[in-house]
Amino acid sequence: MKSLSFSKPVVLSHGIFLLCCALSLWSCNFTNTENTLTSKVNVFLGTSGDHGQMSPSASSPFNMLSIGPQTYAHNHTGYDYYAKRFEGFTHTHLEGVGCTGSGGNILIKPIVNNDFQTHLLKSKQHASPGYYQVSFKNGISAAMSVNHNFGLEKYTFPIEANEKGLFIDLSFALSNRFISEEHTIEKNIISGWIDTYSTCHRGVYRIYYAMRLSDFSELEILNDHQYYVSLPQNTVNTIVEIGFSSVNAEYAKSKLVSTNLETVQKASNQEWNSLLSHVKVQGEEDRENLFYSLLYRGLQSPYKISEDDGTYAAIDGSIQNADFEVYNGWAIWDNYREQLPMLSLLYPNKFKDISKSIANLYKYGKKDWATKHEPSPTVRTEHALVVLLDAYEKKYPLDFLPIKDSIIAEVNRLNFGSPDKALESSYDLFAASKIMETLNDDELARTYWEKSLDYKEYWEKDFADLTKDDVDRMQARGLYQGTIWQYRWFVPYDISGLIELIGSEDQFIKDLDQFFEEGNYNHANQPDLQVPGLYNATKQPWKTQKLFRNILLDTVIQNYFNDNSKGIAPYIGRIYKNEPRAYLRTMDDDAGTMSSWFVMRSIGISPANIGTPIYYLTAPIFEKVSIDYPNGVKFEIEVKNYDKDHFYIKSATLNGKALNQNWLRHEDILNGGKLIIETSKTPNTSWGTENMFITNY
């Protein structure tokens, strides 16, 4: 094997860790994070098995670079909470997505005695937002933290070990998705690019990196992609610094700054605390902790990929420049329903550029799945048109004219080949029709509108008759991840028309009752997530109030998972739990989708329809909620006569005036004010039945 030796001064950081006042099973709150919202976040929530597919990696908001443990066995992010054996640490983790995950680039493993099979058996681990630390039974420990596109890793070795070193694998990636890489070595810096198949092997992403090693005696080439870093005999601590870029290695190198772990961790904690504190909730401690742990999950992606000077890599591989922050890393088929609407309401400054970034995809060859030139790990982008319409209706600045032809091309590719695709594509046609209206193209708007109404024919053919024996069977008739029962409600833009198809409001309510009473609802996946809120569009909105509380906090019966049909091993218990096995079995978080569902409804707000700037109201699970907006504007929600077990709305006022309708406009919330909701133990069957909002196309 070839060896490369370098002579250079030792560059080590001796930043002292701030230790926990009291170690808990799942998290370690540093003294400088006490009394901050980050101390409420359990980063180990949903990190075991197929109960969320989340990672405890050190991350910062909307950052592709996240450094965390790779265990054996592992889940879709490379880690399982209950695994004892660690394979090392990796640097990309796309949270909670399917197809065995995405990311897992660049493996670093600390070893002793020149043994690449060194057993790293977990002894203790601690983590908080932006920080991860673990110690092993052999005396090795590792700690890491990140800021945006910069990370620092500190590896500590037992003084008595004869030989100490790091194994580096530049070809490591989850699910054998590595394609190729090129790198150069200059003194103590390894830099280059790595190409990896994205989620489901659909498309390719390229990351550029620069990795600076603080101290070594020898850098040994094991093969084209792997190195052994031999450390001096007296080494106790060694530092690895890493920078990321989606543009080139020089930008990645520019991220490398002289600092220490404590400083990086403190900055990351401050960034997380600043973002989390945009929404303040006051209530039972366990509910607050669950809320912030899930809000944290909703702020991981998409990733900011543009450099400070506006340079970014487009999805066709070209290098471009923008006057806004450019984002990538999409799971829109999943999170257009919850996470993106949550960002639009709670984080308008971020969402402004996120929505522009989605529109920007159309300029460079947007596909439903990843392209061959993605600048970050990504999944899919179906229903981007719905997100763009939603943003436009909420007054986010978007210019559709430059991408009109690309929108038309996407509409022409819509798939109507299965019952579920027919309904979903009709939703996109609805959005495209509205977008063409904004461009004053009345002919196309009318064409798309008329074609979108064909959903009624598809619905009559496959979803009207519930007497057939396959209506509760997963993937019957070619459906994707759902049943006829679950997909039959998927006309969110025209509930009035759906009620007409079913026959009457009374029959609509009767069918909803049957749907839930017979256990046909599936919270393990996305296709029917909006259905518990449909009572809001009827004269019985209190049924939604009860359903939301059940799903948020109470024991439920769930018959469906993503690998079976009704009747096989039902689950009885809570869906959202603040523990490693947090969700239902097979319930992926899908880039913040499921966590954002909880966040929104826990504060009493839920979208009526993505593409319509209306939110339905229900009782928060907290006594007080406050949302901070730019320029000192606040929207406050207060529960009158609060009782943690009351969830029916008795009455409400907005800015001192009686509010009898059960919905608000987006602008009503962003303009600030105070909403007071009085709850009761029993439903008020009159409240929310005046001036009802029902989507009507």
Side-chain angles (χ1 to χ4, degrees):
M1 291 182 289
K2 301 176 183 177
S3 296
L4 298 176
S5 298
F6 301 100
S7 176
K8 58 185 184 349
V10 175
V11 184
L12 284 178
S13 165
H14 296 285
I16 300 173
F17 295 153
L18 296 174
L19 297 178
C20 300
C21 294
L23 297 181
S24 68
L25 177 62
W26 296 320
S27 63
C28 176
N29 300 323
F30 288 81
T31 53
N32 68 339
T33 70
E34 283 188 330
N35 300 319
T36 66
L37 295 180
T38 50
S39 67
K40 295 180 177 294
V41 174
N42 172 17
V43 300
F44 291 105
L45 183 156
T47 60
S48 176
D50 203 352
H51 296 267
Q53 302 289 3
M54 304 180 213
S55 166
S57 300
S59 66
S60 60
F62 307 108
N63 185 3
M64 173 173 58
L65 172 63
S66 65
I67 311 174
Q70 178 77 24
T71 64
Y72 182 85
H74 60 79
N75 66 12
H76 294 188
T77 60
Y79 170 89
D80 190 286
Y81 178 81
Y82 294 102
K84 292 183 178 180
R85 193 177 98 199
F86 282 46
E87 297 179 341
F89 303 88
T90 57
H91 297 75
T92 53
H93 305 85
L94 184 51
E95 298 275 341
V97 297
C99 287
T100 64
S102 184
N105 295 106
I106 309 177
L107 177 78
I108 298 179
K109 179 182 180 180
I111 64 175
V112 292
N113 302 326
N114 203 24
D115 180 7
F116 299 125
Q117 303 303 316
T118 295
H119 279 194
L120 299 177
L121 298 178
K122 177 178 63 179
S123 175
K124 294 180 181 179
Q125 64 180 343
H126 316 296
S128 61
Y131 176 82
Y132 178 83
Q133 187 272 337
V134 62
S135 56
F136 301 106
K137 292 182 179 180
N138 61 6
I140 295 175
S141 65
M144 50 215 62
S145 188
V146 300
N147 288 337
H148 190 76
N149 278 343
F150 172 75
L152 189 149
E153 304 158 52
K154 180 177 181 180
Y155 297 99
T156 302
F157 296 87
I159 188 66
E160 66 274 10
N162 292 328
E163 294 186 34
K164 306 153 188 178
L166 301 174
F167 169 71
I168 299 177
D169 186 354
L170 302 175
S171 64
F172 193 89
L174 293 176
S175 300
N176 298 312
R177 294 206 173 104
F178 169 76
I179 300 174
S180 61
E181 63 93 9
E182 288 185 5
H183 65 275
T184 59
I185 300 174
E186 183 180 359
K187 295 183 178 179
N188 62 333
I189 295 177
I190 304 174
S191 63
W193 55 261
I194 300 172
D195 281 352
T196 312
Y197 287 115
S198 203
T199 314
C200 305
H201 281 78
R202 304 284 289 269
V204 178
Y205 66 89
R206 172 172 290 190
I207 55 174
Y208 292 90
Y209 70 93
M211 184 164 42
R212 182 162 62 193
L213 308 170
S214 67
D215 183 38
F216 59 87
S217 299
E218 191 174 54
L219 188 62
E220 186 177 347
I221 301 174
L222 304 177
N223 58 44
D224 289 344
H225 310 301
Q226 297 176 338
Y227 288 86
Y228 172 59
V229 180
S230 177
L231 301 172
Q233 178 62 36
N234 63 348
T235 296
V236 175
N237 300 312
T238 191
I239 299 295
V240 176
E241 297 166 333
I242 188 163
F244 264 21
S245 174
S246 295
V247 178
N248 60 41
E250 292 305 312
Y251 276 111
K253 288 179 184 178
S254 72
K255 307 295 194 307
L256 301 177
V257 295
S258 297
T259 185
N260 58 46
L261 184 64
E262 179 184 341
T263 299
V264 178
Q265 190 274 332
K266 183 177 180 181
S268 185
N269 176 75
Q270 289 174 342
E271 185 178 8
W272 275 116
N273 194 62
S274 174
L275 211 58
L276 294 171
S277 64
H278 279 281
V279 190
K280 298 182 178 67
V281 296
Q282 179 181 322
E284 282 67 36
E285 183 178 8
D286 61 331
R287 295 184 182 183
E288 290 183 10
N289 293 344
L290 182 56
F291 174 86
Y292 285 110
S293 297
L294 293 173
L295 178 59
Y296 167 79
R297 291 298 169 188
L299 303 176
Q300 300 284 335
S301 63
Y303 310 123
K304 177 178 175 288
I305 60 159
S306 56
E307 300 293 339
D308 290 342
D309 62 5
T311 306
Y312 71 97
I315 58 172
D316 64 352
S318 64
I319 302 302
Q320 304 291 337
N321 194 275
D323 58 1
F324 60 94
E325 291 185 350
V326 181
Y327 289 79
N328 198 66
W330 308 109
I332 298 179
W333 183 89
D334 305 283
N335 63 16
Y336 87 93
R337 312 162 197 259
E338 301 296 339
Q339 188 245 8
L340 293 173
M342 184 269 288
L343 295 178
S344 77
L345 179 68
L346 303 183
Y347 297 94
N349 283 351
K350 288 289 183 185
F351 186 75
K352 177 179 66 175
D353 288 343
I354 289 171
S355 61
K356 286 183 179 179
S357 299
I358 295 172
N360 196 54
L361 296 173
Y362 286 87
K363 295 180 180 179
Y364 301 104
K366 174 189 173 297
K367 298 174 64 177
D368 284 349
W369 289 76
T371 70
K372 298 296 184 183
H373 301 282
E374 295 289 337
S376 75
T378 195
V379 188
R380 53 198 302 187
T381 60
E382 295 103 319
H383 301 312
L385 292 177
V386 176
V387 178
L388 294 178
L389 174 64
D390 194 58
Y392 181 86
E393 294 289 345
K394 292 173 178 175
K395 310 302 182 186
Y396 286 97
L398 292 173
D399 184 3
F400 293 123
L401 187 59
I403 61 174
K404 179 181 178 181
D405 289 344
S406 296
I407 291 174
I408 293 171
E410 180 167 282
V411 171
N412 291 338
R413 295 193 302 267
L414 289 174
N415 182 356
F416 296 82
S418 60
D420 55 326
K421 287 290 187 182
L423 295 186
E424 292 202 18
S425 294
S426 296
Y427 194 8
D428 285 334
L429 281 167
F430 152 78
S433 174
K434 293 292 187 182
I435 289 172
M436 292 303 152
E437 282 184 14
T438 72
L439 295 172
N440 297 316
D441 191 329
D442 296 337
E443 183 177 353
L444 265 185
R446 187 184 316 107
T447 298
Y448 292 161
W449 172 72
E450 291 174 352
K451 191 172 182 180
S452 74
L453 289 179
D454 288 346
Y455 84 82
K456 296 181 180 182
E457 296 178 15
Y458 298 113
W459 195 93
E460 290 278 17
K461 175 179 178 292
D462 276 299
F463 299 101
D465 186 357
L466 294 173
T467 65
K468 296 181 180 180
D469 61 6
D470 67 348
V471 296
D472 61 353
R473 189 183 309 155
M474 290 287 285
Q475 299 183 324
R477 308 182 208 175
L479 297 176
Y480 177 69
Q481 298 186 350
T483 68
I484 292 294
W485 254 120
Q486 291 154 14
Y487 272 107
R488 82 186 302 251
W489 309 101
F490 196 79
V491 194
Y493 59 94
D494 189 17
I495 297 303
S496 178
L498 180 59
I499 292 173
E500 184 178 337
L501 284 172
I502 289 176
S504 67
E505 181 182 2
D506 288 341
Q507 187 61 46
F508 183 78
I509 292 172
K510 184 178 179 181
D511 284 5
L512 278 175
D513 290 345
Q514 182 182 354
F515 179 70
F516 289 105
E517 288 168 3
E518 293 183 355
N520 290 306
Y521 175 64
N522 178 17
H523 202 77
N525 213 332
Q526 285 81 24
D528 57 352
L529 275 187
Q530 83 286 359
V531 183
L534 288 183
Y535 288 108
N536 278 319
T538 76
K539 57 190 174 186
Q540 297 184 358
W542 63 88
K543 290 184 177 178
T544 283
Q545 296 162 24
K546 184 178 190 300
L547 276 171
F548 280 174
R549 182 60 63 95
N550 289 347
I551 296 169
L552 289 166
L553 296 174
D554 293 341
T555 295
V556 299
I557 299 174
Q558 286 282 285
N559 289 302
Y560 286 96
F561 308 94
N562 296 332
D563 57 1
N564 71 11
S565 291
K566 186 177 179 181
I568 304 175
Y571 168 80
I572 303 173
R574 284 183 58 170
I575 295 176
Y576 291 96
K577 302 180 292 294
N578 198 359
E579 57 190 52
R581 289 175 181 159
Y583 288 174
L584 300 171
R585 179 176 62 80
T586 78
M587 179 178 160
D588 299 345
D589 194 47
D590 282 317
T593 303
M594 297 306 200
S595 48
S596 298
W597 191 99
F598 181 98
V599 167
M600 290 287 279
R601 285 148 190 84
S602 73
I603 62 174
I605 298 172
S606 57
N609 168 55
I610 314 306
T612 306
I614 299 293
Y615 301 94
Y616 285 124
L617 300 177
T618 191
I621 66 172
F622 305 103
E623 187 172 2
K624 292 183 179 179
V625 177
S626 177
I627 306 171
D628 288 346
Y629 290 118
N631 303 319
V633 175
K634 288 181 182 292
F635 185 78
E636 297 176 302
I637 306 172
E638 180 180 328
V639 178
K640 185 178 178 182
N641 298 325
Y642 176 79
D643 186 300
K644 69 181 183 65
D645 295 321
H646 290 178
F647 47 81
Y648 291 114
I649 297 181
K650 182 178 180 180
S651 65
T653 62
L654 178 64
N655 299 327
K657 296 181 179 179
L659 182 69
N660 294 316
Q661 65 189 40
N662 66 335
W663 55 273
L664 293 176
R665 297 185 183 277
H666 183 77
E667 62 188 33
D668 294 332
I669 299 174
L670 262 67
N671 287 340
K674 187 165 188 177
L675 173 67
I676 298 178
I677 295 176
E678 182 180 7
T679 59
S680 62
K681 188 176 182 179
T682 57
N684 177 353
T685 59
S686 297
W687 188 86
T689 59
E690 297 181 18
N691 191 25
M692 293 165 52
F693 178 81
I694 307 174
T695 54
N696 186 338
Y697 195 29

